[in-house]
Amino acid sequence: MRKTIWILGDQLGPHNAALDGARKKDDVLFLVESGRKLRKLKYHQQRLVLLLSAQRHYAEEMRKAGWTVDYHALGPGVTWATALAAHVKKHRTERVLLTAPNNYDEQQAAMKLAGKFPLEILPTRQFLVPREEFLAWAEGKKSLVMETHYRRVRTEFGFLMQPDGHPVGGRWNFDEENRKTFRDWVKAGHPSAEVRREKPDRITREVMTLVAAEFADHPGKAADFWLPVDRAGALRWLDEFIATRLAGFGPWEDLMVEGDELLFHSVISPLINLGLLAPRECIERAIAAYDKKKAPLPSVEGFVRQIAGWREFINGVYWLKMPDYEKVNGLEAERALPDFFYTGETEMNCLHQCIRQVSATGFNHHIQRLMVLGNFLLLTGVRPPEALRWYLEMYVDAHDWVMAANVLGMVLHADGGFMATKPYAAGSGYISRMSNYCAGCRYQPEVKTGPEACPFNYLYWDFYARHEKRFARNPRVGMALKTLAKKSPAERKAIADSAREFLRGLEKSPQRTQKGG
Ligand SMILES: Cc1cc2nc3c(=O)[nH]c(=O)nc-3n(C[C@H](O)[C@H](O)[C@H](O)COP(=O)(O)OP(=O)(O)OC[C@H]3O[C@@H](n4cnc5c(N)ncnc54)[C@H](O)[C@@H]3O)c2cc1C
Ligand code: SF4
């Protein structure tokens, strides 16, 4: 019996469960470029180039490998439903196999189609931990701790584990060795490593032209696209990271340098999220580098933690909490997203630099997303759906499953602390220690209130003053609340006045409406 293997645009790897047992001479691969999906929001042009070019490369590779490929390109009226109906009719398919979509809305849409077509949905292998296993582990817990989950995953897979069941090096965590400051970086002689840009081939160039024309009013420039788009390119990209940057990953993981934005980061998220890389192979190649003494343990453990720990945890929380997760607003945040998140026009240099970078490349590393941009959104109380939408639109690696818990849980603390026991709130101290942004800023990081003060300083205390009651019973916030309580009435007034003045200025600045892209 002839089968159809339906491959979604973020399932482009050789590890796709729907391909198990498929036969080139009998079966057909089916792929769709869904306009509805690509136009759901005003996505960064480089994200669209990545999605379309990767999918077209996959189809071409499979054709060359001898598969029959039924490819439905972007066009008026092309949706999953219309393309599948045309496909089933043309190929007289009796069975369609699809690996479970990674995003909730797509899973719902696929289930709906399963009522009309002979569609079978298989469990995904794009994560180390199956969805049901995470749900069983999380069942009944009031809050979840990433570290506990991470240790379970490491033990189960034997990643960096000794035969006696203890972690290699005797510790689970090397934070003390990692996360060095900007001053440490200067003292070390500005260590740096080049991240080579990929040269676009014919298919990518065609897609760049298409995106520039069809999505002209979207952020970013398609012409500046810089990432790999196929399996071979993704493996080269990963190996280059392991050979040239993994050793420096740990110590400089949290650093932010104006003019050297990527530092030692892997930038594999856009690729791993499309299935071009499997989480396990990324981890195993990094561990192999440690075994060959090419990278130190703190760097390798730090990298393994990101994938086996954070990535798995974020995905698990998403499937545990959807569909209600996208509606959370635990801190009752009601401010509109300032328009400068799209233009970069702000005098706060740290924000300006991160927004400039993401507009140009579709990428910021984790600390820029969390401790600069996220910190601002949290402290000023921007409405969760608007913050979420911005992140989804601007990043090349953005997908619903990965953004929800990162933005709503980690950044905005909007889920009542379910996945982060305390808000990631910080004054200027963190940014000035970890970056050189403050040197080029019109504000003074050491000034606490008034027009010259860094806004993060008074916004931080204003945030805790606004939420004093809410966090009163949270022991992890105890120190901040005690310090706040010790402030004199005059200090508290100065904080409140500065914050009010700043927030009033934000309200006067242009703001984006919530209309679709
Ligand atoms: C507000 C916010 C939004 C984010 N949005 C995304 C997103 O849309 N897509 C995305 O893949 N990651 C997202 N992240 C997580 C993380 O910032 C990126 O995965 C990372 O910066 C990608 O760069 P890298 O590949 O160089 O990562 P590295 O620092 O080299 O880490 C290696 C890999 O670990 C995984 N990883 C690490 N942290 C996380 C995390 N918190 N959640 C999921 N995976 C993680 C990624 O696959 C990443 O490629 C977000 C984090 C925050 C705080
Ligand atoms: S002074 Fe404040 S606003 Fe300016 S770069 Fe430093 S942290 Fe950012």
Side-chain angles (χ1 to χ4, degrees), residues 241 249 253 265-270 272-273 303 306-307 310-311 314 363-366 369-370 391 395 397-399 401-403 406-407 410-411:
F241 159 70
F249 175 79
E253 191 180 345
H265 286 270
S266 66
V267 198
I268 57 164
S269 51
I272 203 171
N273 291 351
F303 182 69
Q306 301 306 313
I307 300 177
W310 280 111
R311 186 171 189 273
I314 289 287
F363 189 85
N364 288 134
H365 72 60
H366 186 71
R369 298 184 203 202
L370 179 66
Y391 280 105
Y395 288 85
D397 55 6
H399 297 268
W401 69 265
V402 62
M403 276 303 181
N406 272 309
V407 176
M410 206 186 292
V411 162

Side-chain angles (χ1 to χ4, degrees), residues 389-418:
R389 177 192 168 124
W390 180 81
Y391 280 105
L392 280 166
E393 288 181 333
M394 295 302 284
Y395 288 85
V396 280
D397 55 6
H399 297 268
D400 293 356
W401 69 265
V402 62
M403 276 303 181
N406 272 309
V407 176
L408 303 170
M410 206 186 292
V411 162
L412 298 177
H413 207 75
D415 62 359
F418 182 74

